[in-house]
Amino acid sequence: MPILITFLGLLAAAGYWYFRIRDAGGTVRDLADAANDVRLAARRFGFKRRANVHPIDCIEDARMAAAGITLAVAEMDGALTQAEIQTATIQFQSVFDVNKTDAEELVTFGRWIAAQSGTKSEGVRRMSKRLLGLAGAEAGSDLVKLVTAVGTADGSTLHADAEDALQTIRRYFPEA
């Protein structure tokens, strides 16, 4: 009887570790898929990373900078909600005149580029400066519209940090 109990214990331990290792492999695949999604979204919009240059300074498409700003502001009150992601996708389709797939890729890229600066506020400042250089001052009104729509998508008002970010945007785009 003790041999049977020992055998069952070893079998249970082996099963436990087998499933733990299998789940870890799934997690690694999920992370690789997420990284691949960002890479493909970036490639689709012509983003090319250059050595010794900050990713924000590599942005050549104004839509990418605007997406990054919008999502950085939306994340200032915590992780993005499903409502914010859906609103961002719809707003990107409308403002940038792209299809749903492109809008979803802009969301993916925007989330990634927003995370590339130390703080969200610093990211908004840098991307606003970049957007001004790419699209000019006339992009400000659409940007304020995007930031406000996505930031209030879950039915709340803009967070205090998001209001500060909106003021930063208005400093770069006084016509907005």
Side-chain angles (χ1 to χ4, degrees):
M1 187 67 163
I3 293 174
L4 182 61
I5 292 173
T6 302
F7 177 72
L8 289 175
L10 288 173
L11 189 61
Y16 171 79
W17 285 108
Y18 169 76
F19 287 110
R20 292 277 301 190
I21 290 170
R22 191 182 74 178
D23 288 345
T27 302
V28 169
R29 276 190 299 280
D30 290 345
L31 288 173
D33 288 346
N36 193 40
D37 288 347
V38 170
R39 186 182 60 79
L40 292 174
R43 180 180 289 167
R44 183 177 190 115
F45 290 101
F47 178 81
K48 291 183 178 141
R49 185 89 191 255
R50 295 187 301 256
N52 299 323
V53 177
H54 194 280
I56 291 173
D57 297 329
C58 295
I59 295 174
E60 297 296 332
D61 188 334
R63 298 174 298 180
M64 296 170 85
I69 294 167
T70 301
L71 295 167
V73 173
E75 286 181 332
M76 287 182 170
D77 64 349
L80 289 175
T81 64
Q82 195 60 37
E84 289 171 329
I85 292 170
Q86 289 173 345
T87 302
T89 303
I90 292 166
Q91 289 294 319
F92 292 167
Q93 283 178 278
S94 172
V95 172
F96 301 140
D97 193 30
V98 295
N99 61 34
K100 186 175 182 183
T101 303
D102 287 350
E104 288 170 345
E105 288 183 354
L106 280 168
V107 169
T108 300
F109 181 81
R111 291 177 79 178
W112 176 77
I113 200 73
Q116 297 306 302
S117 288
T119 65
K120 300 295 181 205
S121 298
E122 177 64 16
V124 168
R125 187 193 64 75
R126 287 185 82 155
M127 285 185 277
S128 294
K129 183 178 177 183
R130 186 72 184 145
L131 180 61
L132 181 62
L134 291 170
E138 59 275 358
S141 60
D142 285 339
L143 180 60
V144 169
K145 175 186 164 192
L146 286 171
V147 167
T148 305
V150 175
T152 59
D154 53 3
S156 63
T157 60
L158 285 175
H159 187 268
D161 291 339
E163 286 289 346
D164 290 343
L166 210 50
Q167 292 306 316
T168 299
I169 292 167
R170 286 190 174 114
R171 276 195 294 275
Y172 282 96
F173 303 96
E175 298 172 7

